[in-house]
Amino acid sequence: MSTAAASAARAADADADEDEDAKLRNTAITRANSAYLPMEDCVGIKYSSVNEGEERKGGHGVPKVSIIPLIFLIFYEVSGGPFGIEDSVKAAGPLLAIAGFLLFALIWSVPEALITAEMGTMFPENGGYVVWVSSALGPFWGFQQGWAKWLSGVIDNALYPVLFLDYVKSSIPALGGGLPRTLAVLILTVALTYMNYRGLTIVGWVAVFLGVFSLLPFFVMGLIAIPRIEPSRWLEMDLGNVNWGLYLNTLFWNLNYWDSISTLAGEVENPKRTLPRALSYALVLVVGGYLYPLITCTAAVPVVREFWTDGYFSDVARILGGFWLHSWLQAAAALSNMGNFVTEMSSDSYQLLGMAERGMLPEFFAKRSRYGTPLIGIMFSAFGVVLLSWMSFQEIIAAENYLYCFGMILEFIAFIKLRVVHPNASRPYKIPLGTIGAVLMIIPPTILIVVVMMLASFKVMVVSIMAMLVGFVLQPALVYVEKRRWLKFSISAELPDLPYSNVEEDSTIPLVC
């Protein structure tokens, strides 16, 4: 070969390599932006079906989560028991507290759980609501959804080590403040983070044990309270003396986060069948777990509203059953916070993993440990918890509620848009309502969202809006980072292309648009 010919060949090879690099460099952006495909480009999405043996162990050789642990993972994502509902009585009295938990369950929890069941089975992969919003509204809004909900979850998780120490400081006064308390928060965070690192199945069965242990003392306390019940106490109400901000935030905080379980749907055994069933059982468990102690305890002892603050159920336990029941309930309260922590961290970290697998975050966020857990996601979530643990209880609740509301608005829009634009898309579970019925279903929770956001303090509002604006800057910044090849982004080959879904098992039927 002549020198000129060799030079030409090398130049051609270099051009080909450069073209190939450009293609690889833009893969994640191109596929992520596919959410903007026009109607005529719709295709069905196939989530590969697997046999039973493969279903029970994921692609990383890690056992998948079965229905019983999944129920209690949802239970702890949403509730963890009646600890913390006492403020509803302080804010509004027994009647409004009981009515509030019943009414909010109907207008908020039920719609959110139903939407999670439909959308979670439509897109049974890690990332959950981020994938729903990306599919309906595009990658920019999908990222905003992920940013707001992840930040809300981390803020929420910062609460649980603090609550745990609040329960045990009566026995160990040194944990009430200062350096010992700070060290205790760090030690708890590290220990519980390690549990998440070891595997989701371990977290799930720990949640089962903690859930049973936490609910049993309330069941016993309710039985003891029955002979002392005076029904007239249920009717106590003073509309002129209601702290509506505390009342609504307490109800909302204790009845939301049903959608959090969707972020780890890819780790669930047969999610198309298991997820809807687990959500329905968890709904009964959560709402019953709130109403049972409220109904029995508010009628069994005289109601002094000022006494009904966080932790007052343990005082009621002492009045009704004595020191043994008081100690049992305090231990249950402390351990329940640990259950809340590990399940919330699982949801947050798998969300980051799911976003990385969709090319929205750098590839290193998709890295798994040898136990199949999202290593980098866990580390980032733990760091966020430590960073935010200085906030007060009420500030934490208000801030996380505000960010959570922003994310829920995007979810509602995505849910309705997918119903309207793609009514024939395969939905393994579908809410038995038409488009008009679906719109009517989300009107009450949307009004509630607006009210909760309006009741936020100016400080919480400003901080939350600033946090959301960070997401508006962060997404285009990450796109720029990818174009400059400063970090590697990729989309998992195991995932189907967005935006549209067909998830019928064992078949792929083109989506009718």
Side-chain angles (χ1 to χ4, degrees):
M1 182 182 293
S2 67
T3 303
S7 299
R10 284 195 297 270
D13 289 341
D15 289 341
D17 290 342
E18 185 175 347
D19 290 341
E20 184 64 26
D21 287 344
K23 289 179 182 177
L24 290 173
R25 192 164 59 245
N26 293 319
T27 296
I29 294 176
T30 301
R31 289 187 65 185
N33 286 330
S34 68
Y36 292 112
L37 287 173
M39 287 287 291
E40 58 268 25
D41 292 331
C42 294
V43 292
I45 287 183
K46 180 180 180 180
Y47 287 90
S48 302
S49 59
V50 293
N51 61 41
E52 185 177 351
E54 291 172 326
E55 178 66 44
R56 291 184 179 278
K57 275 203 171 184
H60 303 273
V62 178
K64 294 218 170 188
V65 179
S66 59
I67 189 167
I68 298 299
L70 187 62
I71 291 170
F72 281 90
L73 284 173
I74 299 170
F75 171 74
Y76 271 111
E77 290 280 8
V78 177
S79 167
F83 313 104
I85 69 172
E86 297 98 328
D87 279 331
S88 64
V89 179
K90 177 182 181 180
L95 181 60
L96 287 181
I98 294 169
F101 275 101
L102 184 59
L103 182 62
F104 269 53
L106 292 174
I107 68 173
W108 179 265
S109 296
V110 171
E112 188 183 5
L114 288 173
I115 291 172
T116 301
E118 178 171 319
M119 302 298 287
T121 56
M122 197 174 177
F123 301 93
E125 61 177 272
N126 296 328
Y129 38 67
V130 177
V131 182
W132 314 344
V133 175
S134 296
S135 180
L137 305 177
F140 176 81
W141 289 110
F143 184 90
Q144 304 314 315
Q145 169 77 356
W147 170 250
K149 295 299 281 285
W150 180 80
L151 197 56
S152 172
V154 171
I155 292 173
D156 178 62
N157 225 14
L159 175 69
Y160 300 118
V162 174
L163 284 178
F164 175 84
L165 294 176
D166 284 344
Y167 275 105
V168 301
K169 69 182 180 182
S170 58
S171 302
I172 310 176
L175 297 178
L179 182 61
R181 185 179 179 88
T182 302
L183 290 175
V185 169
L186 290 173
I187 292 170
L188 280 172
T189 302
V190 170
L192 296 171
T193 299
Y194 179 73
M195 188 181 297
N196 273 272
Y197 166 75
R198 286 300 305 269
L200 187 58
T201 51
I202 293 176
V203 172
W205 285 108
V206 167
V208 173
F209 167 77
L210 292 177
V212 173
F213 182 78
S214 298
L215 289 175
L216 270 178
F218 286 97
F219 177 73
V220 173
M221 184 166 64
L223 293 179
I224 296 173
I226 289 175
R228 304 177 60 167
I229 286 178
E230 294 183 17
S232 61
R233 290 171 176 159
W234 290 326
L235 304 178
E236 294 180 16
M237 181 177 62
D238 182 4
L239 287 176
N241 185 27
V242 175
N243 184 339
W244 292 106
L246 177 61
Y247 177 66
L248 291 176
N249 268 318
T250 302
L251 293 175
F252 193 67
W253 180 60
N254 282 285
L255 286 168
N256 60 19
Y257 281 87
W258 295 94
D259 59 343
S260 294
I261 199 65
S262 69
T263 63
L264 44 83
E267 310 301 313
V268 174
E269 180 182 309
N270 195 1
K272 300 167 191 176
R273 292 195 184 97
T274 306
L275 189 59
R277 292 170 58 201
L279 281 163
S280 62
Y281 297 148
L283 183 64
V284 174
L285 189 63
V286 168
V287 178
Y290 288 150
L291 290 175
Y292 177 74
L294 270 180
I295 290 171
T296 54
C297 293
T298 55
V301 297
V303 176
V304 180
R305 284 173 51 179
E306 289 71 22
F307 293 169
W308 282 80
T309 57
D310 185 43
Y312 184 64
F313 271 129
S314 61
D315 294 331
V316 176
R318 183 191 289 112
I319 295 169
L320 295 176
F323 180 75
W324 67 272
L325 186 57
H326 165 80
S327 301
W328 185 9
L329 197 138
Q330 278 207 318
L335 292 178
S336 179
N337 286 301
M338 303 300 93
N340 287 119
F341 185 99
V342 293
T343 53
E344 181 65 56
M345 178 170 281
S346 294
S347 174
D348 296 341
S349 56
Y350 275 100
Q351 178 195 314
L352 296 182
L353 181 144
M355 291 176 71
E357 289 179 338
R358 278 291 175 189
M360 296 181 183
L361 291 176
E363 191 180 63
F364 63 80
F365 276 97
K367 178 178 176 60
R368 290 179 183 253
S369 69
R370 60 176 174 158
Y371 302 105
T373 50
L375 181 62
I376 305 301
I378 289 173
M379 292 173 61
F380 263 73
S381 297
F383 177 74
V385 167
V386 173
L387 196 64
L388 296 169
S389 59
W390 57 270
M391 296 175 68
S392 71
F393 180 84
Q394 293 301 330
E395 285 177 331
I396 286 175
I397 291 179
E400 71 166 282
N401 281 350
Y402 201 94
L403 291 167
Y404 183 84
C405 287
F406 173 75
M408 287 308 304
I409 290 171
L410 292 178
E411 280 185 40
F412 289 161
I413 294 172
F415 167 64
I416 296 300
K417 182 174 181 180
L418 289 173
R419 274 294 193 98
V420 171
V421 180
H422 309 295
N424 298 316
S426 176
R427 292 166 168 85
Y429 173 82
K430 185 175 182 179
I431 302 170
L433 295 172
T435 301
I436 295 177
V439 171
L440 292 174
M441 181 186 74
I442 67 168
I443 288 176
T446 302
I447 294 173
L448 175 61
I449 285 174
V450 173
V451 172
V452 169
M453 295 179 80
M454 289 177 62
L455 287 174
S457 68
F458 180 75
K459 176 184 176 182
V460 168
M461 199 176 298
V462 169
V463 171
S464 300
I465 291 174
M466 289 177 62
M468 288 187 287
L469 290 176
V470 171
F472 279 60
V473 175
L474 191 57
Q475 196 273 345
L478 287 173
V479 172
Y480 180 78
V481 165
E482 180 178 12
K483 286 182 178 179
R484 300 292 296 178
R485 299 184 68 186
W486 293 340
L487 291 172
K488 186 177 180 181
F489 291 71
S490 64
I491 294 180
S492 173
E494 298 176 1
L495 297 176
D497 288 331
L498 292 180
Y500 310 123
S501 176
N502 174 64
V503 289
E504 285 190 356
E505 284 194 64
D506 305 318
S507 65
T508 305
I509 302 173
L511 177 64
V512 179
C513 297

